[in-house]
């Protein structure tokens, strides 16, 4: 009996971990290429959720059907944010963009609060209650879809980074803006792309979460903190690290919630965070500075 | 120039001291109370965030300690908050040392993240141990009549003066420290920590000192707040939003500058209250949203804070160990 | 090909270059020597657009490049190999080389260029999947040069190619530089290693505290007593 629950909990954690990984990959991409920590990443997840809700509420488009549209909208939002705000703090002190994105995070949360009120909204999908069962384990379809899409997105991004010229240019910028420049790469283009992709990934994660989570203005905070922990665990700037980190944190959180206490589920995450920060700040795959 | 400053200060003092005697509307007194409170919190935060250049986003921890400890001691053991407050400050100092020691090894965003994590852990724990803290329901402080020793007053005015006193004390303290070695060391650390270290400045000690002092101030503020509003809960006193609000006040006013937090508190609190009044129906979102907006605007347009607008009138007016 | 006219620039309030005039003709190899802190690297960075120029101008093939954004210069035919080789350590050798051909004109003939570079530097083909940072100093230098060649530059700027390399390796590096020069590529070379620098170049400039102290044919500079005393300890 013990193993059954253990396995189910772990499996659930793994599935949600995929989505954490997606958010974290976006965050780590932005950090890797631009050296900016986006403290508002969670809020973009939240925006993705609201976009999904609006598509469902006003256009009758379900979350999965509207995934592509949502992704594009988020990409454009990312572009707007980049051009209006981010571009002005590139190259400035660390504190400035930390504070800028923090301010953005608060602003977005409350702007949404003002527009949509604090009501908990739901987005239904016809697939919400379907599930797959095998042995004693059950996996709800939304979880499976979320996991698969998340992993696919990460795979596509990895392919982009490793095998395309644009991706190579982004990796060059991530390592050294100057070297990239003397090779003819326009760093601003790489930054823009990295940021927009990072935001789009957060938005996609949000959409994937809507069949499983309530949609409300403050929902982003949970994902914010989790994303940071994952990124630090995996190594700032490492996409594989964020993927692995996300899965680990998903499992840890699930297990802590089950075996310790539900409201302390985040505690396990934080403990890991602090351990990593103090003993191996470069994370699993990060470069040792 | 000095004369203008003197006159301004005297006018300000008269205004501050006389306000509750003339104006009796509780709401207005409360607004000024919040201005003084956040100014004091800001002056404290400035020690580590401005002078020390370490962005702490976990100050809510100390505020919460300062709020919960005296309240719990009073409710459970009938200990006067005047004594309970000392315990609160003591615990805050300890917490600051425990957090600062490992965290100061981290730089930049890592330090900020660690303080956020610490803050969230605190809030989670406060919520979890509801037997003691009342959890999400919080702890109301029942009013049984005026009782100065237990910080119970039927009018707002005494609380107003408490906050004002805190601000004045804290302000003078920091002003004094600025000119002392501590202030100079902090300035050196802010410029270039490694260089300062190699010159023999015990950076860890200095930063810890600044951090602990700012924690004590936050705790004092937390206590005053707790007894003024007579109700505390984890989402009110231990949330990351509070930490960000404290930081915002300082940044808007002028980080690393003596008068920065004071100016910032006045501007931010007044602007958010105005927002509340005009966007009345959408209260909660509007005022916090204003915080976010202000932060964004200041960072983009005037990262040195509003106080830098006054610099042109007197370059010596507010220069703090900034070079 | 490259004309630098009375450049004055520096960092913050500090003036580093005080009116430098210098030129590199087509097909020439020009050496820029001088002690540490004289401003050599600053000059290269100014040419590459990495730092702004306070006054004066820079022309390349008749085009004024003074205010051009740095990333547009490679497309004009300038390849800059920074001090320390500028190899991307976390990127594979293969990707490093591909990045060398980032500009559109080079991208189209990328495959051929790669083959040529592998012919000149077979070790790079051997190690093509290895990370740039795992190569030895000398190999990194070859990678840096190979990467620069991928863009078929008209002008190659090298900042201290011999830095941190063993004497044997330095010899082979300079032999390669000579070969490249023989193919018609103009070269501007900063070097502390006076002997090698003047041996491989036709003309030289001596930079001292932000100004050109001496200039002339390399052979003449090499035989110049003042130069020998200052830089060769003779």
């Amino acid at each position: 009996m013990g193993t059954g629950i253990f396995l189910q909990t772990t499996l659930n954690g793994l599935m949600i971990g995929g989505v954490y990984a997606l958010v974290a990959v976006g965050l780590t991409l932005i950090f890797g290429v631009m050296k900016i920590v986006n403290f508002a990443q969670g809020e973009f997840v939240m925006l993705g959720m609201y976009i999904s809700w609006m598509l469902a509420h006003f256009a009758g488009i379900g979350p999965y059907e509207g995934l592509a549209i949502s992704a594009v909208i988020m990409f454009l939002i990312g572009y707007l944010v980049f051009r209006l705000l981010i571009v002005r703090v590139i190259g400035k002190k660390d504190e400035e963009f930390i504070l800028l994105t923090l301010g953005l995070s608060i602003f977005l949360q409350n702007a949404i609060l003002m527009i949509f009120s604090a009501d908990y909204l739901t987005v239904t999908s016809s697939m919400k209650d379907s599930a797959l069962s095998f042995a004693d384990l059950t996996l709800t379809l939304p979880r499976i879809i979320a996991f698969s899409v998340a992993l696919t997105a990460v795979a596509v991004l990895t392919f982009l980074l490793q095998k395309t010229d644009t991706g190579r240019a982004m990796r060059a910028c991530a390592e050294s803006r100057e070297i990239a420049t003397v090779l003819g790469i326009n760093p601003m283009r790489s930054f823009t792309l990295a940021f927009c992709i990072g935001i789009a990934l957060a938005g996609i994660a949000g959409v994937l979460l809507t069949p499983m989570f309530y949609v409300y203005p403050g929902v982003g905070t949970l994902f914010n903190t989790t994303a940071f922990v994952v990124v630090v665990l995996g190594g700032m700037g490492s996409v594989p690290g964020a993927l692995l980190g996300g899965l680990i944190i998903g499992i840890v959180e699930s297990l802590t919630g089950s075996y310790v206490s539900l409201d302390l589920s985040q505690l396990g995450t934080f403990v890991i965070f602090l351990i990593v920060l103090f003993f191996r700040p470069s994370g699993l795959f990060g470069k040792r500075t | 120039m000095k004369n203008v400053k003197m006159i301004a200060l005297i006018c300000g003092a008269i205004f501050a001291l006389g306000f509750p005697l003339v104006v009796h509307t509780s709401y207005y007194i409360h607004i000024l109370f919040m201005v003084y409170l956040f100014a004091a919190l800001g002056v404290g935060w400035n020690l580590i965030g401005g002078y020390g250049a370490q962005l702490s986003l976990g100050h809510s921890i100390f505020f919460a300690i300062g709020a919960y400890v005296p309240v719990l001691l009073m409710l459970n053991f009938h200990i006067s908050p005047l004594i309970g407050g000392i315990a609160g400050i003591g615990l805050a100092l300890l917490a600051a040392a425990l957090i600062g020691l490992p965290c100061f090894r981290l730089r930049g965003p890592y330090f900020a993240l660690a303080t956020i994590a610490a803050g969230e852990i605190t809030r989670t724990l406060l919520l979890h141990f509801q037997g003691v803290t009342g959890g999400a329901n919080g702890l109301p402080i029942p009013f049984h009549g005026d009782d100065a020793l237990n910080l119970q007053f039927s009018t707002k005015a005494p609380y107003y003066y408490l906050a004002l006193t805190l601000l004045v004390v804290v302000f003078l303290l920091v002003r004094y420290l600025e000119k002392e070695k501590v202030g100079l060391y902090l300035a050196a650390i802010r410029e270039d920590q490694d260089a300062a270290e190699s010159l023999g400045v015990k950076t860890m000690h200095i930063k810890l000192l600044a951090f602990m002092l700012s924690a004590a101030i936050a705790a004092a503020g937390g206590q005053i707040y707790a007894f003024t509003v007579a109700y505390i809960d984890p989402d009110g006193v231990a949330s990351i939003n509070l930490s960000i609000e404290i930081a915002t006040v300082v940044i808007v006013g002028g980080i690393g500058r003596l008068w920065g937090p004071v100016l910032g508190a006045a501007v931010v609190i007044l602007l958010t209250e105005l927002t509340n009044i005009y966007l009345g129906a959408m209260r909660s979102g509007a005022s916090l949203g204003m915080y976010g907006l202000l932060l964004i605007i200041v960072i983009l347009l005037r990262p040195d804070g509003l106080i830098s607008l006054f610099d042109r009138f007197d370059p010596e007016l507010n220069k703090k160990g900034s070079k | 090909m490259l004309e630098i006219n009375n450049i004055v620039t520096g960092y913050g309030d500090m003036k580093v270059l005080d009116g430098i005039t210098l030129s590199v003709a087509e097909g020439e190899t020009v050496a820029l020597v001088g002690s540490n802190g004289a401003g050599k690297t600053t000059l290269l960075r100014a040419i590459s657009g990495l730092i702004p120029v306070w006054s004066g101008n820079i022309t390349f093939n008749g085009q004024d490049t003074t205010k051009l954004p740095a990333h547009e210069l490679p497309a004009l035919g300038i390849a800059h190999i920074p001090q320390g080789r500028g190899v991307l350590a976390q990127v594979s050798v293969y990707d490093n080389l591909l990045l060398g051909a980032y500009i559109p004109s080079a991208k189209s003939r990328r495959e051929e260029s790669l083959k040529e570079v592998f012919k000149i530097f077979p070790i790079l083909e051997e190690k093509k999947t290895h990370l740039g940072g795992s190569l030895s100093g000398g190999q990194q230098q070859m990678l840096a040069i190979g990467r620069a060649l991928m863009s078929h530059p008209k002008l190659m700027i090298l900042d201290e190619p011999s830095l941190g390399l063993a004497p044997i390796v330095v010899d082979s590096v300079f032999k390669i530089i000579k070969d490249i020069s023989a193919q018609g590529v103009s070269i501007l070379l900063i070097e502390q290693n006076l002997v090698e620098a003047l041996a491989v170049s036709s003309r030289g400039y001596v930079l001292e505290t932000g100004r050109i102290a001496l200039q002339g044919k390399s052979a003449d500079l090499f035989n110049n007593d003042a130069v020998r005393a200052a830089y060769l300890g003779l």
Side-chain angles (χ1 to χ4, degrees):
Chain A
M1 185 218 83
T3 10
I5 296 202
F6 179 76
L7 279 175
Q8 179 72 62
T9 312
T10 309
L11 209 52
N12 284 343
L14 186 69
M15 299 287 111
I16 203 90
V19 182
Y20 290 159
L22 191 59
V23 182
V25 164
L27 189 60
T28 219
L29 180 68
I30 295 175
F31 178 79
V33 177
M34 300 173 69
K35 304 292 176 277
I36 286 185
V37 179
N38 178 17
F39 274 76
Q41 187 77 349
E43 268 56 55
F44 290 108
V45 175
M46 181 264 291
L47 280 182
M49 291 171 95
Y50 272 92
I51 291 177
S52 179
W53 181 83
M54 284 195 280
L55 282 176
H57 193 81
F58 296 118
I61 304 177
Y64 301 122
E65 296 87 333
L67 187 62
I69 306 175
S70 306
V72 170
I73 297 177
M74 287 304 298
F75 190 89
L76 292 173
I77 290 179
Y79 184 72
L80 257 169
V81 171
F82 182 83
R83 279 251 80 95
L84 287 175
L85 304 176
I86 306 293
V87 79
R88 290 173 216 247
V89 292
I90 294 180
K92 301 257 181 89
K93 293 184 285 187
D94 278 357
E95 292 92 57
E96 285 191 28
F97 59 75
I98 293 178
L99 294 165
L100 180 69
T101 49
L102 262 177
L104 184 62
S105 149
I106 302 180
F107 177 72
L108 284 175
Q109 260 188 63
N110 289 284
I112 294 289
L113 176 60
M114 290 192 345
I115 300 175
F116 292 95
S117 93
D119 290 342
Y120 279 39
L121 303 171
T122 44
V123 179
T124 39
S125 162
S126 48
M127 310 205 226
K128 202 160 79 117
D129 297 310
S130 324
L132 279 179
S133 301
F134 51 93
D136 272 327
L137 304 171
T138 316
L139 278 178
T140 57
L141 212 50
R143 287 224 170 119
I144 299 176
I145 298 180
F147 183 73
S148 326
V149 174
L151 249 52
T152 312
V154 175
V156 169
L157 178 67
T158 308
F159 177 80
L160 175 84
L161 286 174
Q162 295 298 331
K163 298 283 178 206
T164 65
D165 292 322
T166 319
R168 263 184 285 263
M170 279 166 71
R171 283 189 292 134
C173 273
E175 192 172 325
S176 163
R177 243 179 111 172
E178 246 187 40
I179 297 180
T181 309
V182 302
L183 290 171
I185 298 169
N186 183 352
M188 213 35 94
R189 274 223 258 139
S190 295
F191 292 159
T192 314
L193 200 56
F195 192 77
C196 293
I197 294 178
I199 300 302
L201 290 179
I204 294 175
V207 174
L208 293 172
L209 288 166
T210 44
M212 301 182 275
F213 274 75
Y214 281 120
V215 180
Y216 59 98
V219 74
T221 328
L222 303 166
F223 296 105
N224 231 355
T225 17
T226 310
F228 286 128
V229 176
V230 170
V231 166
V232 171
L233 173 61
M236 296 270 239
S238 160
V239 171
L243 178 58
L244 187 58
L247 298 176
I248 294 177
I249 293 294
I251 295 175
V252 166
E253 192 186 75
S254 191
L255 289 173
T256 315
S258 270
Y259 288 105
V260 178
S261 164
L262 197 55
D263 60 330
L264 286 180
S265 55
Q266 282 229 299
L267 208 64
T269 312
F270 287 127
V271 170
I272 292 192
F273 184 55
L274 293 173
I275 293 177
V276 172
L277 271 184
F278 298 132
F279 295 112
R280 206 198 150 100
S282 51
L284 294 170
F285 292 107
K287 301 122 228 170
R288 292 183 159 264
T289 25
Chain B
M1 200 60 237
K2 279 232 128 150
N3 289 333
V4 180
K5 266 171 66 175
M6 264 291 114
I7 298 177
L9 264 169
I10 295 177
C11 286
I14 297 177
F15 173 81
L17 287 169
F19 191 83
L21 302 173
V22 177
V23 179
H24 296 295
T25 321
S26 204
Y27 177 60
Y28 295 141
I29 298 181
H30 182 75
I31 293 183
L32 278 184
F33 164 83
M34 291 298 265
V35 171
Y36 301 149
L37 181 65
F38 270 88
L41 292 172
V43 170
W45 186 91
N46 207 6
L47 273 174
I48 188 65
Y51 299 113
Q54 297 262 181
L55 230 55
S56 158
L57 293 170
H59 257 60
S60 58
I61 299 173
F62 313 120
F63 188 82
I65 291 178
Y68 273 94
V69 171
V71 170
L72 284 172
L73 286 177
M74 187 184 94
L75 289 178
N76 292 315
F77 303 110
H78 304 294
I79 296 179
S80 157
L82 298 175
I83 301 181
I86 299 180
I89 292 180
L91 194 58
L93 287 170
L94 184 62
L98 284 174
I99 295 175
L101 264 168
C103 285
F104 281 134
R105 284 200 279 130
L106 309 167
R107 303 284 183 98
Y110 288 103
F111 177 77
L113 285 174
T115 55
I116 292 178
E120 282 297 283
I121 292 178
T122 309
R123 192 179 64 93
T124 312
L125 290 174
L126 282 172
L127 277 170
H128 180 75
F129 291 109
Q130 41 189 33
V132 180
T133 65
N137 294 323
L139 292 172
I141 304 175
F143 183 67
H144 296 305
D146 279 273
D147 182 354
L149 276 175
N150 281 314
L151 294 183
Q152 301 289 308
F153 305 106
S154 50
T155 59
K156 270 259 174 279
Y159 295 114
Y160 170 100
Y161 287 115
L162 267 175
L164 182 58
T165 312
L166 179 67
L167 174 58
V168 172
V169 167
V170 159
F171 183 87
L172 290 175
L173 179 63
V174 173
R175 186 157 169 273
Y176 168 72
L177 283 175
E178 258 192 341
K179 309 242 168 42
E180 287 297 301
K181 279 220 203 122
V182 175
L184 299 171
Y185 284 154
L186 275 174
I189 294 173
R190 191 177 67 220
E191 271 301 315
D192 184 339
Q193 181 165 330
D194 297 314
E197 185 79 48
S198 62
L199 286 173
V201 177
K202 295 202 173 60
T203 55
M204 182 56 94
H205 289 190
I206 304 283
K207 286 204 280 193
L208 258 176
L209 194 62
F211 195 50
M212 286 167 70
L213 192 52
S214 76
I217 295 173
Q223 177 179 4
I224 294 179
Y225 176 81
F227 285 89
T228 307
V229 303
Y231 169 75
I232 52 175
D233 70 317
D235 282 317
V237 305
S239 74
I240 182 177
N241 277 334
L242 178 64
S243 302
I244 298 178
E245 282 164 33
I246 299 175
T248 306
V249 156
V250 180
I251 289 155
V252 167
I255 196 170
R257 308 282 294 261
L258 189 57
W259 283 94
V262 181
L263 178 60
V267 170
V268 173
I269 302 277
L270 292 174
L271 262 176
T272 45
E273 282 307 313
L274 276 173
T275 322
N276 268 339
I277 295 173
Y278 285 110
L279 293 175
M282 310 188 246
R283 300 212 122 228
S284 41
S287 53
L288 274 180
M290 180 55 71
Y291 265 97
L293 197 58
L294 276 174
L295 197 47
I296 294 175
I297 294 175
V298 168
I299 292 292
L300 288 183
L301 299 177
R302 267 236 158 231
D304 285 332
L306 291 174
I307 203 131
S308 58
L309 289 171
F310 294 96
D311 281 346
R312 54 164 95 179
F313 297 121
D314 184 345
E316 251 70 57
L317 179 64
N318 282 299
K319 278 283 181 261
K320 300 297 147 245
S322 52
K323 270 289 177 290
Chain C
M1 163 151 281
L2 177 71
E3 307 248 337
I4 297 167
N5 262 314
N6 218 0
I7 295 289
V8 176
T9 192
Y11 301 102
D13 286 335
M14 197 172 65
K15 181 160 43 168
V16 176
L17 298 176
D18 195 10
I20 306 281
T21 301
L22 184 151
S23 68
V24 180
E26 199 168 330
E28 255 199 316
T29 301
V30 172
L32 184 66
V33 298
S35 43
N36 272 331
K40 311 194 296 289
T41 300
T42 307
L43 179 59
L44 288 201
R45 300 186 78 213
I47 297 174
S48 277
L50 293 171
I51 55 173
V53 163
W54 298 349
S55 72
N57 59 43
I58 303 173
T59 350
F60 182 71
N61 265 344
Q63 183 177 351
D64 190 328
T65 64
T66 329
K67 300 260 185 265
L68 228 50
H71 66 269
E72 288 183 26
L73 294 179
L76 297 177
I78 302 178
H80 178 154
I81 300 179
Q83 203 174 73
R85 267 102 40 198
V87 157
L88 291 164
Q90 271 118 43
V91 172
S92 69
V93 168
Y94 182 70
D95 281 342
N96 260 291
L97 289 171
L98 287 186
L99 279 167
Y102 184 77
I103 55 176
S105 56
K107 209 177 281 195
S108 40
R109 37 183 183 154
R110 201 158 68 178
E111 291 308 318
E112 289 173 41
S113 313
L114 202 55
K115 288 205 185 88
E116 286 168 32
V117 170
F118 282 154
K119 253 207 321 208
I120 308 175
F121 303 115
I123 184 86
L124 292 181
E125 182 162 21
E126 239 181 79
K127 296 208 165 217
K128 72 178 181 196
T129 54
H130 292 220
L131 291 184
S134 67
L135 267 53
S136 71
Q139 292 165 345
Q140 281 191 13
Q141 189 58 277
M142 290 188 232
L143 176 55
I145 295 178
R147 188 178 67 189
L149 290 174
M150 291 288 291
S151 63
H152 299 275
K154 304 198 180 83
L155 171 70
M156 226 179 357
I157 304 177
L158 292 109
D159 194 341
E160 308 254 12
S162 75
L163 200 65
L165 299 180
I168 291 187
V169 184
V170 172
D171 277 343
S172 60
V173 169
F174 275 93
K175 185 179 169 306
I176 294 169
I177 293 179
K178 212 167 179 124
D179 289 339
I180 294 174
S181 162
Q183 294 183 15
V185 180
S186 315
I187 297 182
L188 177 59
L189 180 66
I190 288 187
E191 251 310 324
Q192 276 204 47
N193 186 330
L194 204 72
V195 177
E196 294 273 16
L198 293 180
V200 86
S201 58
S202 51
R203 278 194 307 120
Y205 294 85
V206 178
L207 193 64
E208 238 164 67
T209 47
R211 289 162 186 256
I212 304 277
L214 277 171
Q215 54 180 289
K217 289 222 189 47
S218 297
D220 294 338
L221 284 175
F222 189 69
N223 291 318
N224 181 305
D225 290 331
V227 171
R228 295 170 80 83
Y231 298 101
L232 295 177
L234 296 171

